[in-house]
Amino acid sequence: MVVLEKTTRINYLYDFYQSLLTSKQKSYMSLYYLDDYSLGEIAEEYGVSRQAVYDNIKRTEQMLEQYEEKLGLFQRFRQRKQLLQDLQKAVKQHDEEQTLSLIDSLEKLD
């Protein structure tokens, strides 16, 4: 996975699942992924080793992936987004059959 894709995915997972994380996990992830702090800067701020920060971030990434595997919020978000784009296209093309099919697919996601 390309670094930018991984960062984008982790940011989305963080948005969906941050309420399931501890305050320290939220803080480390926010500083690292959202505020672009280095591991060393976070370590200095919290008075811990760079390795401790790295380990915490990696464990938290794994937790976010596990939450996604079990709950699938991000996957359904992406599916819904794609269906909405397809629906807009079908409406513009006045394709009533496709429009109704896409609406049905959207309803099934929930």
Side-chain angles (χ1 to χ4, degrees):
M1 186 179 296
V2 179
V3 173
L4 183 57
E5 288 175 12
K6 178 187 177 196
T7 299
T8 301
R9 179 176 174 80
I10 293 296
N11 281 329
Y12 271 113
L13 295 178
Y14 178 76
D15 286 345
F16 282 109
Y17 302 113
Q18 68 178 304
S19 63
L20 301 174
L21 302 176
T22 67
S23 59
K24 184 186 281 189
Q25 288 170 324
K26 286 181 203 178
S27 183
Y28 282 13
M29 294 298 283
S30 178
L31 289 171
Y32 188 72
Y33 280 104
L34 302 176
D35 298 335
D36 203 29
Y37 275 46
S38 69
L39 295 175
E41 291 170 324
I42 298 168
E44 187 176 315
E45 180 142 336
Y46 282 90
V48 297
S49 70
R50 185 182 174 285
Q51 186 65 42
V53 173
Y54 175 82
D55 290 344
N56 185 294
I57 288 172
K58 289 302 166 195
R59 272 193 313 275
T60 304
E61 288 174 356
Q62 290 172 348
M63 288 176 67
L64 292 172
E65 291 292 352
Q66 289 172 353
Y67 292 145
E68 174 60 15
E69 188 177 307
K70 291 176 183 167
L71 300 171
L73 298 177
F74 180 49
Q75 178 183 346
R76 284 197 307 261
F77 167 79
R78 290 189 325 190
Q79 289 172 332
R80 189 173 289 110
K81 189 175 177 181
Q82 182 62 54
L83 286 169
L84 287 170
Q85 288 173 350
D86 294 346
L87 182 58
Q88 287 173 334
K89 188 176 177 181
V91 168
K92 285 179 183 176
Q93 295 174 348
H94 304 291
D95 186 342
E96 187 175 336
E97 186 178 325
Q98 179 70 6
T99 299
L100 293 174
S101 173
L102 289 165
I103 290 171
D104 185 52
S105 296
L106 274 169
E107 289 173 341
K108 288 178 182 175
L109 275 179
D110 296 326

